[in-house]
Amino acid sequence: MRNLRTVYNEMKKRVGRVPLLQDFIKFNSIDPVILSNKEKNYANFLIKMGEQINISDYENKILSFLDVELLNGKRRHELILLDLLINNSEISMEKFDEALIKNHCLNNQEIIESVKRILSLSFYNENASPSRKDYGGKAIVEYNDKNNQYILNSEIQYSLKKNKDFRQLWIDGIRTGLSRSQRYDSDKLFTIGEKYTRKDVMRQSNNITNVTAQNIGGYYFNDKYGMIFVTYKKSMNISKSIQYEDRFLSDRILHYYSKNNRKLTSKEVQKFFTDKYRLLLFMKKSDADDNKDFYYLGTCSYIDSSARQENQDGKPIVSMNLRLDNRVNYHLYHLLTD
């Protein structure tokens, strides 16, 4: 990849001003997520490029929230609400619902409650990274149950009115996220073939709080979903007890292993065998370059009577076969397995 400074300077020369993130999309230059996440937000990136950007510490933190959490456009609901709140400090629940319908967004109470948790920052833990403090420590959008209204916090309202730099960066991040969201199926939780981090999955499966990658490991169950994360080619540097031999038997059948020290009777393993949970399969080829993104391969289900009790490095482990509801795309299948 070309040096980011070179990419930036080329764009600046092309547009004749400090570039917006939207410019990089318009001219198909570089994914704006790369630029913004390089320094936690685009404001910091611009400052590193030598531009004069005047924002407060709090403004910087909420720009980081916008650019790190929402700019990717993987779920457009929060972006739509923030867009509505740019020029209106309060928006009714009905107006938000109308906007979701207009944008063909999956819309149910679970998602609406999840959006509230994200924008109130209650989704983020006090101590785990990213924490609420990292994103300013107070709700970006509050919901008034009495009036059924979403309210943008007063400090952000003030910044939008008084700080030209902040207003431009805030609007640019929202509009860029909405542009980028066009690649995703807004009427579904996830888009098959697209990439997600574990944190993305926690958010978009409407989990109550974020769960750190270390605590998720290979899978995680909430009240409705079982989220399965497979690294197809394991590093030889990890413990033998977690060098699981997950492998495709075909483009629709995955031979899969539980976490170690599990038995067929383990409550956690039993969850795979019931219809109570919708199983979502995410996979990446390897841990090369510390890649945190997994391709979403779709929903899957346990194949009856396929579970076996085994041992790995002296510890009990359960193997089973999972059937995908959709065959893995030919090119993606070979990308993951070759």
Side-chain angles (χ1 to χ4, degrees):
M1 183 182 294
R2 290 178 298 161
N3 180 278
L4 292 183
R5 183 178 291 276
T6 300
V7 173
Y8 175 79
N9 287 334
E10 288 175 353
M11 184 58 66
K12 185 176 182 179
K13 183 177 180 180
R14 186 169 193 171
V15 298
R17 53 170 167 74
V18 174
L20 301 173
L21 287 172
Q22 294 172 75
D23 294 321
F24 294 94
I25 286 185
K26 179 180 178 181
F27 293 105
N28 196 28
S29 172
I30 191 173
D31 188 345
V33 170
I34 295 174
L35 297 178
S36 61
N37 286 1
K38 182 68 176 177
E39 302 295 332
K40 291 190 177 180
N41 63 49
Y42 189 51
N44 289 339
F45 179 81
L46 291 175
I47 292 169
K48 189 171 183 178
M49 293 298 104
E51 307 295 353
Q52 294 296 316
I53 304 296
N54 297 308
I55 56 173
S56 68
D57 179 65
Y58 177 68
E59 290 167 344
N60 192 295
K61 287 180 177 179
I62 59 173
L63 285 172
S64 291
F65 166 79
L66 175 63
D67 289 359
V68 172
E69 302 294 333
L70 307 183
L71 179 69
N72 57 45
K74 294 177 183 180
R75 186 168 78 180
R76 69 184 68 168
H77 299 61
E78 291 90 347
L79 291 163
I80 289 171
L81 180 53
L82 291 177
D83 193 46
L84 291 171
L85 288 166
I86 289 172
N87 295 314
N88 302 278
S89 59
E90 299 178 358
I91 289 292
S92 69
M93 180 178 65
E94 289 77 14
K95 287 287 186 182
F96 182 40
D97 284 343
E98 289 172 6
L100 293 178
I101 293 170
K102 181 180 179 181
N103 286 273
H104 311 290
C105 293
L106 184 64
N107 188 8
N108 56 46
Q109 193 59 37
E110 290 178 349
I111 291 178
I112 295 302
E113 292 303 319
S114 173
V115 169
K116 291 177 184 177
R117 288 191 293 271
I118 298 296
L119 294 179
S120 70
L121 301 186
S122 66
F123 173 76
Y124 304 94
N125 297 302
E126 292 287 355
N127 300 316
S129 180
S131 68
R132 295 171 201 168
K133 186 177 180 180
D134 292 332
Y135 294 146
K138 55 186 174 182
I140 291 170
V141 176
E142 297 176 338
Y143 183 72
N144 186 316
D145 289 297
K146 184 177 180 180
N147 298 323
N148 289 326
Q149 287 186 318
Y150 298 93
I151 305 167
L152 187 64
N153 96 30
S154 58
E155 197 164 345
I156 299 176
Q157 291 181 44
Y158 181 84
S159 293
L160 286 172
K161 292 176 182 177
K162 299 297 182 179
N163 188 334
K164 181 179 66 174
D165 286 351
F166 173 78
R167 181 178 177 85
Q168 185 175 68
L169 289 162
W170 184 253
I171 294 174
D172 184 37
I174 293 169
R175 301 284 165 79
T176 301
L178 287 170
S179 294
R180 200 178 186 281
S181 73
Q182 299 304 312
R183 70 182 69 186
Y184 300 98
D185 297 328
S186 61
D187 60 343
K188 297 179 177 65
L189 283 179
F190 301 97
T191 302
I192 291 178
E194 291 291 347
K195 294 191 285 187
Y196 301 86
T197 65
R198 286 183 175 91
K199 185 174 61 167
D200 292 329
V201 176
M202 289 297 104
R203 171 187 164 216
Q204 292 182 222
S205 63
N206 306 319
N207 216 52
I208 300 296
T209 59
N210 186 33
V211 180
T212 62
Q214 184 177 5
N215 290 333
I216 294 171
Y219 50 82
Y220 178 85
F221 286 86
N222 61 19
D223 291 340
K224 190 170 183 178
Y225 302 105
M227 295 148 273
I228 303 168
F229 300 90
V230 175
T231 300
Y232 200 79
K233 295 189 176 181
K234 309 296 188 297
S235 169
M236 298 306 294
N237 296 325
I238 63 175
S239 169
K240 289 184 179 181
S241 64
I242 57 174
Q243 288 182 14
Y244 309 127
E245 298 180 5
D246 305 316
R247 64 187 184 275
F248 281 116
L249 302 181
S250 71
D251 59 1
R252 200 166 182 175
I253 306 296
L254 177 70
H255 188 60
Y256 181 69
Y257 284 83
S258 70
K259 297 175 183 178
N260 66 15
N261 209 23
R262 303 297 194 275
K263 297 181 179 180
L264 285 166
T265 54
S266 299
K267 289 183 179 180
E268 181 185 282
V269 172
Q270 287 287 316
K271 291 180 179 180
F272 284 94
F273 309 154
T274 176
D275 293 333
K276 179 181 178 181
Y277 303 95
R278 188 179 180 193
L279 301 181
L280 312 173
L281 181 60
F282 299 85
M283 185 177 292
K284 63 179 177 178
K285 183 172 184 176
S286 70
D287 283 320
D289 302 322
D290 195 29
N291 183 12
K292 298 179 181 179
D293 293 311
F294 294 76
Y295 290 97
Y296 177 55
L297 302 185
T299 53
C300 61
S301 57
Y302 167 71
I303 296 178
D304 288 343
S305 304
S306 66
R308 297 288 184 271
Q309 185 69 62
E310 299 186 24
N311 280 279
Q312 183 161 307
D313 196 34
K315 296 181 180 180
I317 194 169
V318 176
S319 70
M320 67 189 79
N321 291 337
L322 302 175
R323 183 189 302 276
L324 280 75
D325 293 328
N326 297 279
R327 295 185 186 280
V328 183
N329 171 276
Y330 175 85
H331 296 290
L332 181 54
Y333 180 86
H334 286 281
L335 172 69
L336 292 167
T337 59
D338 286 348

